[in-house]
Amino acid sequence: MDDTPYDWMYRFHLGGETAAGAGSLTVRRGRGLLARLACAALRLPRAGERLPARVTVHRRAGTQPARAAAARDAPGPAPVVETWVRHIGPHRLTTTQVRAGEHGRERHGPLELRTRTAATGAEVTVTQEQALLGAGRWSLRLPARLAPRVAARAWLDPADAALRPPRFHIEVRVTAPVAGMLLSYSGFLRREPGG
């Protein structure tokens, strides 16, 4: 299999097998009271410069929802269940996402974020499409003005092209109405053996 930095970055975000990377991330937290309370409630990582980081994406085949399986149209890509385990400094943040092709659903307690992951050129972007509040099978779509926002991107720097093992840069930003910026982190991940 081709082991260019772009191929690994693509497989890390949109592949079908487990992937792992380690590197360094700088974490920033919002400064306002609401931002600090939200970060504590969501158990988000603490702020710090160039923190050691390790991210593993465990993947397994998922199942089609009953309503999709019963539909007459083609069911589309088979879902993949991804467990993202992020170690940032001493903090561990684990989330589960169900992805079918480029579309994903990630749950944080009662909040579900629906996203689209796109790979173009030397970049992978994750764009939030919807935010819902719910429990079990019931959910309510949040209007954009009330919904938290998550945006992420991974990209290759020209200096990364010759590096082995390959690496890519990342930037993630989480904002919320009224509170503003809750959390951002940026840095790089380098492929780990077997990842």
Side-chain angles (χ1 to χ4, degrees), residues 12 18-21 54-58 83-87 189 192:
F12 189 91
T18 294
R54 183 171 192 275
V55 180
T56 304
V57 185
H58 300 279
T83 302
W84 287 68
V85 182
R86 303 165 186 90
H87 293 272
L189 289 179
E192 288 197 319

Side-chain angles (χ1 to χ4, degrees), residues 85-150:
V85 182
R86 303 165 186 90
H87 293 272
I88 303 173
H91 188 84
R92 176 182 167 146
L93 176 65
T94 302
T95 59
T96 299
Q97 182 178 126
V98 178
R99 183 176 48 81
E102 61 188 21
H103 297 281
R105 298 185 326 267
E106 188 166 6
R107 193 169 273 286
H108 300 267
L111 180 66
E112 179 180 298
L113 302 177
R114 295 192 178 170
T115 60
R116 180 176 177 264
T117 302
T120 57
E123 185 173 86
V124 174
T125 58
V126 179
T127 305
Q128 181 176 317
E129 295 184 323
Q130 291 180 2
L132 300 97
L133 274 181
R137 303 177 97 188
W138 302 99
S139 64
L140 173 67
R141 182 176 175 180
L142 291 172
R145 71 185 193 293
L146 300 177
R149 302 290 306 168
V150 176

Side-chain angles (χ1 to χ4, degrees), residues 56-74:
T56 304
V57 185
H58 300 279
R59 293 186 169 104
R60 62 181 172 81
T63 57
Q64 288 282 9
R67 65 179 177 265
R72 291 185 182 175
D73 296 20

Side-chain angles (χ1 to χ4, degrees), residues 149-170:
R149 302 290 306 168
V150 176
R153 73 181 188 113
W155 73 95
L156 299 174
D157 186 281
D160 296 334
L163 295 177
R164 293 295 180 268
R167 79 173 186 182
F168 59 82
H169 297 266
I170 58 173

